[in-house]
Amino acid sequence: MLAATAVAQSATDPLAGLVLGDVPKPETRPGWSLVRVVASSLNMHDLWTLRGVGHPPERLPVILGCDAAGYDQDGNPVLVHPVIADADAGLGDETLDPGRALLSEQHNGSFAEYLAVPTRNLIPKPDWLTFDEAACLPVAWGTAYRMLFTQAAIRAGDRVLVQGAGGGVASAAIRLAAAAGAVVYATSRSEDKRSQALGWGARAVVANGERLPERVDVVIETVGEATWSHSMKALRPGGTIVIAGATSGTNPPADLGRVFYLQQRILGSTGCTRGELVGLLRLMDATGVRPVIDRVLPLEEIHQGFQLMIDGRITGKLVLHPPHQRLEGEPS
């Protein structure tokens, strides 16, 4: 089968270690299922793997890709929950299992024609959701859902700031928070992305670091060093910052005096549980909100897709289509 495999890592030339070619079709084991991938999508996690961040080199080669939607071996349309873990080891939350792994970390990922995952990780794809839309959800939209509704526990009327409006998690957070009745503010360096964020439901969008019309109850933070000071200053006393990434750096000044004096809360968040992904689908069904898709490319053009991500020219999600081969029993 055709697959995109990370064979080497480089901080300065990450795409040099990405190889597109034929690899053996995955074999299943008891409790696992084979999925024929119809669509997958790029995430920053894939780029970090190629750069050698958070992924030890001894785990190479590995097929990249964390998101997938397709058909299971019985011909049922499914999307894949990408966290492979034991919920019991996480006291009921598989994201807290110390041994958890995202697809492409300890198991081959979804940038391929076929994918093997635990059967528990398969979720029926609703008819109202396209395969391309479904492939955008597990990592970016699942992460945003957990940040907003589990960690920050937002309510209708809350004021929410989303930093870095163009990213996959950020664009999802804007749409989901607005759909839930929050007043959403956002930031972006790009005038074009600021304009798009208004169309997604943000009340106001400003350039990075600019003053907001009011202080906010919650900040959704995935940028890190470049926006951290602004996030702290934009937050009301007793407010909450939820952080699920740090694309611009992981060590900004902590400003602990502000944290304790204003009783601010800073919460980490990683991925989502299977139950939260199901909850996301229910919210989307109720509100009609759908993912922001920048473009769709064939798997054969994955290097171009990564370059667009590196250059910051993606707004929302970039979807990949592997070559089409039907599994036995799959509808034509």
Side-chain angles (χ1 to χ4, degrees):
M1 69 172 184
L2 186 67
T5 305
V7 299
Q9 297 169 318
S10 170
T12 57
D13 188 12
L15 298 189
L18 179 65
V19 173
L20 186 68
D22 288 329
V23 300
K25 185 176 176 180
E27 297 181 358
T28 58
R29 64 188 89 169
W32 286 55
S33 293
L34 186 68
V35 176
R36 201 271 290 176
V37 179
V38 174
S40 58
S41 68
L42 287 182
N43 288 286
M44 283 300 299
H45 184 277
D46 306 306
L47 188 56
W48 293 132
T49 298
L50 289 168
R51 285 177 167 158
V53 178
H55 190 101
E58 57 267 23
R59 289 187 188 164
L60 300 181
V62 66
I63 298 172
L64 293 179
C66 311
D67 286 328
Y71 290 98
D72 70 11
Q73 55 206 23
D74 297 319
N76 302 305
V78 295
L79 64 155
V80 177
H81 177 235
V83 180
I84 298 176
D86 178 2
D88 289 339
L91 302 178
D93 183 333
E94 58 263 42
T95 69
L96 299 178
D97 174 5
R100 74 179 187 273
L102 195 65
L103 274 178
S104 78
E105 290 181 343
Q106 297 178 22
H107 308 276
N108 280 322
S110 59
F111 294 159
E113 296 179 71
Y114 296 95
L115 171 68
V117 294
T119 302
R120 179 188 181 275
N121 287 60
L122 301 183
I123 296 174
K125 183 187 77 66
D127 292 340
W128 47 263
L129 193 67
T130 70
F131 282 103
D132 287 356
E133 291 168 341
C136 297
L137 301 182
V139 172
W141 281 63
T143 296
Y145 182 91
R146 180 179 176 88
M147 293 175 81
L148 289 166
F149 302 107
T150 301
Q151 305 292 51
I154 70 164
R155 298 173 296 180
D158 279 354
R159 272 53 180 165
V160 177
L161 168 62
V162 180
Q163 297 281 17
V169 174
S171 63
I174 292 169
R175 295 183 73 92
L176 290 172
V183 174
V184 182
Y185 301 109
T187 67
S188 177
R189 294 174 298 177
S190 163
E191 184 177 349
D192 182 57
K193 290 179 180 179
R194 293 197 295 269
S195 176
Q196 289 177 309
L198 290 172
W200 302 335
R203 173 173 291 188
V205 187
V206 301
N208 289 358
E210 286 189 4
R211 182 183 294 272
L212 300 179
E214 59 183 324
R215 287 191 174 181
V216 298
D217 303 291
V218 173
V219 179
I220 298 300
E221 175 65 82
T222 59
V223 180
E225 287 185 13
T227 55
W228 187 252
S229 176
H230 184 248
S231 293
M232 300 282 283
K233 294 173 182 176
L235 193 65
R236 68 162 173 82
T240 302
I241 298 176
V242 185
I243 180 166
T247 56
S248 67
T250 59
N251 291 296
D255 200 358
L256 295 180
R258 180 181 292 272
V259 173
F260 74 74
Y261 188 73
L262 298 181
Q263 302 183 68
Q264 296 174 336
R265 298 189 306 154
I266 300 172
L267 303 177
S269 191
T270 297
C272 71
T273 66
R274 186 186 189 281
E276 286 165 341
L277 189 52
V278 172
L280 168 63
L281 291 174
R282 291 171 61 87
L283 175 61
M284 293 174 65
D285 183 30
T287 62
V289 67
R290 297 292 183 270
V292 179
I293 297 176
D294 184 279
R295 70 192 73 195
V296 178
L297 294 176
L299 181 61
E300 292 89 338
E301 296 180 19
I302 189 171
H303 287 81
Q304 176 188 340
F306 269 112
Q307 192 61 56
L308 290 167
M309 175 178 282
I310 292 169
D311 295 341
R313 290 189 286 149
I314 296 174
T315 301
K317 297 290 290 178
L318 191 151
V319 173
L320 296 168
H321 286 177
H324 181 72
Q325 296 182 37
R326 288 200 303 274
L327 286 167
E328 184 177 353
E330 179 189 321
S332 57

